[in-house]
Amino acid sequence: MRSCISILVTVGALAAPAAAQSGAFVTRIGRDTLAVERYQRTANRLDGEQVIRAPRTQHRIYSATLGANGAVERFELTIHNLSGDGPAEQKSSIQFQGDSAFVTLADGKIQRLAVPAGSAPFVLNVYGLVEYLAGRARAVGGDEYQTTGVSPNTNAPVAIVLKRVGQDSLTIMMGPVGPLRLRVDQTGQLLGVSGVGSTMQVSVERLASVDIAAMGPAFANRPLGVLSPTDSVQATVGGATVSVKYSRPAVRGRVVFGGVVPWDQVWRTGANAATIFTTSADLVMGGTTIPAGSYSLWTIPSSAGWKLIINKNTGQWGTNYDSQHDLARLDMQTAPLDTLVERFTIEIAPNGPNAGSIALAWETTRAWVAFAKK
């Protein structure tokens, strides 16, 4: 899957540190620690390691060899599975040569990718690499920097765009993921990241150091699993089969509506890929006929009243909403819940022989819309 990263960076110049630079990061999703990482950077090397807990607990060790111009010439990644799932060890690497990247995958296969000179390695949730990219953008200067990211685990290059927004603030988009808000200091060090309200709800804090050797065993048997697992619900209403396929994010101690999900903005109604609604017969919702078929579902949560959007596009990522394909925008009813719903839930409930409703429940809010078979 191709994606794009946008990072807004500060002005200045920082191709590589004059002296060794080191640091650490802790990445959280709500109350849960997703990863801890430490790194060290010199003029010609970037070395780091990380313990990450989703979907399984892994110990990642990465290294990048830099050329005289600061571009990465070789990147290596070793992954140790600590939670007992999957291979005990996996190794992969990327060799950058001119307009090519030679990716050696974990199974030993080598793939050549055509990429622009100066392309960089990309691994999601590795913030030593994000800091490196910010440094490259600072060295070039200006308001925008573009390059291509290459993952050691896939053959899909990643378009990377970095943009400046102020003296110490950045935003980062990774194709459908983001935008994240980044902070950097005057030396270009990454101080923190906030993804609240974005499609990647992480928060990242810079630390002086972290004990990776201790964190591995501490998290080995405590993986977070898939952060937003896929689920589906199906019901028969008046002879019509109605179903929804969606992903289910969790509260994790956060404020959801007005926080994780901003007010008055189109929301994917779940996580990851767009939520898909399918009906085997024509339905009527809010006075609008919904012909038999499949649609994507979107919502606009608002303190003044929710709307359900039925869109004729399907199969897209959950940020690729295009209003020109809307079939209908319908008013929803809402009510507070007495008990917190930890994981986002969609229900289809029959309300008589020929009618039903689609209901969304998360945190302490329930929203629903009624329908009938035509």
Side-chain angles (χ1 to χ4, degrees), residues 228-234 244-248 275-276 343-346:
S228 299
T230 301
D231 204 347
S232 62
V233 59
Q234 180 175 300
V244 176
K245 183 178 180 181
Y246 68 112
S247 294
R248 303 182 64 193
T275 293
I276 301 300
R343 197 168 286 280
F344 176 62
T345 301
I346 297 180

Side-chain angles (χ1 to χ4, degrees), residues 79-155:
I79 298 175
H80 298 108
N81 284 319
L82 304 181
S83 59
D85 300 322
E89 181 180 84
Q90 297 174 286
K91 292 187 176 182
S92 55
S93 65
I94 309 168
Q95 187 74 38
F96 294 94
Q97 295 180 3
D99 60 358
S100 298
F102 296 89
V103 181
T104 302
L105 300 173
D107 60 6
K109 294 179 181 178
I110 300 177
Q111 297 182 344
R112 177 190 175 276
L113 303 178
V115 296
S119 295
F122 166 72
V123 182
L124 190 65
N125 281 316
V126 172
Y127 289 92
L129 292 177
V130 171
E131 184 176 275
Y132 163 78
L133 290 170
R136 295 289 288 171
R138 287 169 59 88
V140 171
D143 292 336
E144 184 171 302
Y145 170 75
Q146 298 187 22
T147 187
T148 298
V150 180
S151 168
N153 299 316
T154 178
N155 60 0

Side-chain angles (χ1 to χ4, degrees), residues 74 96 102 129 134 137 176 186 191 234 243 264 278-279:
R74 182 173 177 80
F96 294 94
F102 296 89
L129 292 177
Q186 293 301 314
L191 300 179
Q234 180 175 300
S243 64
D264 305 310
T278 301
T279 174

Side-chain angles (χ1 to χ4, degrees), residues 232-245 276-285 290-295 297 347-350 352-358 371-374:
S232 62
V233 59
Q234 180 175 300
T236 300
V237 177
T241 300
V242 181
S243 64
V244 176
K245 183 178 180 181
I276 301 300
F277 167 77
T278 301
T279 174
S280 65
D282 294 357
L283 304 177
V284 176
M285 286 188 189
I290 312 299
S294 292
Y295 306 88
L297 290 185
E347 297 177 344
I348 302 173
N354 205 42
S357 63
I358 297 176
F371 65 86
K373 183 182 175 184
K374 187 172 181 180

